[in-house]
Amino acid sequence: ASFANCTGGRVEEYEQELTDARADAITEMMNKAKKIGANALVGVKIDVESIGGDDSGVMLMVIASGTAVVIEE
């Protein structure tokens, strides 16, 4: 995914923020799954929402969800 400003150019700062937030959300979900004994995640979904938009700016919220499972070898 990429973001474009009003002139159609890419906004690399937002792209990097979104990439970092997505990685953090997935890492947090993986860590929580490990704590309950899971060794895999299935049905992973990433949602991105924007909050705000007034003079204070826009905050991006990234949500990762999925099902923690144990896969036997």
Side-chain angles (χ1 to χ4, degrees), residues 21-53:
R22 182 179 180 271
D24 289 346
I26 292 170
T27 298
E28 184 176 338
M29 184 174 53
M30 288 171 39
N31 290 338
K32 287 181 178 182
K34 287 178 186 177
K35 283 184 181 179
I36 63 169
N39 63 4
L41 293 165
V42 297
V44 174
K45 180 180 176 184
I46 307 295
D47 288 317
V48 179
E49 298 289 334
S50 60
I51 301 171

Side-chain angles (χ1 to χ4, degrees), residues 4 12 19 32 35 37 40-41 54 60-62 64 67-68:
E12 292 181 20
T19 298
K32 287 181 178 182
K35 283 184 181 179
L41 293 165
D54 54 11
L60 293 175
M61 177 174 60
V62 178
T67 302

